[in-house]
């Protein structure tokens, strides 16, 4: 129990998982993922009975406070009856002191109840802060993993685009080479045209 409040199974499991986590969050990624999965399961289990547990603990607290107030009321009544039958001045002074002490005790009980609830809340906050640290670290790990995969994806896209451009350039060059005639044939036909054009001039 924490401050008079019982701790459900999920939160006990959560505290156990949190206590077993590694001190270095960046070097044990699978461990943090497993811890996150256990914490998520613990939270889901606790949520099913949360409202019921709140009502049960509230009734238990109210019953305990009523019992204390009833006992204090019986003590006050007993002191009043004793004061009516006591005529000695010293006895009356003692009774007055007891009544004052009883009033102080009643106020102290109320303060103790409030302090117990606050202590339970602080303990629960410590447990939740550790669980929140696990969840935040898991999210940070997921973000880093996403950024790394995004960078790898962008690099892969760049390589694919570069390979595509190189392939298109090679295909264009190959198509141009197939469409153009060979260079020696062009030179031979040029020489023949020149000779055909020169011979008639010599004959004339």
């Amino acid at each position: 129990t924490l401050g008079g409040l019982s701790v459900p199974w999920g939160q006990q499991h959560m505290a156990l998982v949190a206590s077993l986590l590694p001190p270095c969050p960046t070097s044990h990624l699978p461990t943090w993922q497993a811890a996150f999965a256990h914490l998520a399961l613990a939270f889901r289990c606790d949520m099913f009975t949360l409202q019921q547990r709140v009502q049960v603990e509230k009734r238990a607290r109210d019953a305990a406070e009523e019992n204390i107030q009833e006992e204090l009321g019986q003590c006050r009544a007993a002191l009043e009856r004793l004061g009516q039958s006591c005529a000695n001045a010293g006895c009356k002074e003692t009774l007055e002191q007891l009544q004052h002490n009883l009033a102080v005790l009643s106020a102290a009980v109320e303060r103790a109840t409030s302090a117990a609830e606050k202590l339970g809340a602080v303990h629960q906050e410590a447990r939740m802060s550790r669980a929140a640290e696990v969840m935040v670290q898991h999210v940070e790990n997921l973000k880093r993993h996403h950024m790394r995969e995004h960078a790898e994806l962008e690099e892969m896209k760049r390589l694919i685009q570069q390979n595509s451009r190189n392939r298109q350039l090679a295909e264009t060059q190959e198509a141009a080479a197939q469409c153009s005639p060979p260079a020696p044939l062009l030179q031979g036909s040029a020489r023949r045209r020149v000779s055909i054009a020169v011979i008639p001039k010599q004959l004339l």
Side-chain angles (χ1 to χ4, degrees), residues 8-94:
W9 173 85
Q11 295 177 12
Q12 293 176 352
H13 185 66
M14 177 182 65
L16 177 61
V17 170
S19 64
L20 296 177
L21 291 175
C24 181
T26 58
S27 61
H28 298 80
L29 182 59
T31 304
W32 286 93
Q33 290 177 347
F36 179 83
H38 286 297
L39 289 176
L41 177 61
F43 276 117
R44 284 195 294 267
C45 292
D46 288 346
M47 287 301 296
F48 283 114
T49 59
L50 179 60
Q51 295 299 327
Q52 180 181 0
R53 286 185 287 107
V54 169
Q55 296 298 326
V56 169
E57 296 300 333
K58 185 177 180 180
R59 286 195 296 268
R61 183 200 62 185
D62 294 341
E65 290 180 351
E66 290 176 359
N67 292 334
I68 292 174
Q69 293 300 328
E70 183 178 358
E71 293 294 332
L72 292 175
Q74 292 179 0
C75 291
R76 294 189 189 96
L79 289 177
E80 290 178 359
R81 290 193 300 269
L82 184 60
Q84 293 175 359
S85 61
C86 183
N88 188 359
C91 181
K92 288 183 177 181
E93 183 178 356
T94 303

Side-chain angles (χ1 to χ4, degrees), residues 85-153:
S85 61
C86 183
N88 188 359
C91 181
K92 288 183 177 181
E93 183 178 356
T94 303
L95 291 176
E96 290 177 357
Q97 183 64 36
L98 289 175
Q99 290 175 350
H100 175 72
N101 293 340
L102 194 60
V104 172
L105 178 60
S106 178
V109 168
E110 293 179 359
R111 289 194 301 269
T113 302
S114 177
E117 292 182 354
K118 291 180 180 179
L119 178 61
V122 170
H123 281 298
Q124 187 65 16
E125 183 179 354
R127 294 172 183 267
M128 295 299 296
S129 64
R130 184 58 173 161
E133 180 183 354
V134 174
M135 295 181 179
V136 169
Q137 185 59 50
H138 180 64
V139 172
E140 292 296 329
N141 290 335
L142 291 179
K143 288 172 62 177
R144 286 192 292 268
H145 184 67
H146 173 72
M147 293 176 61
R148 184 169 59 252
E149 288 189 345
H150 180 72
E152 293 176 356
L153 179 61

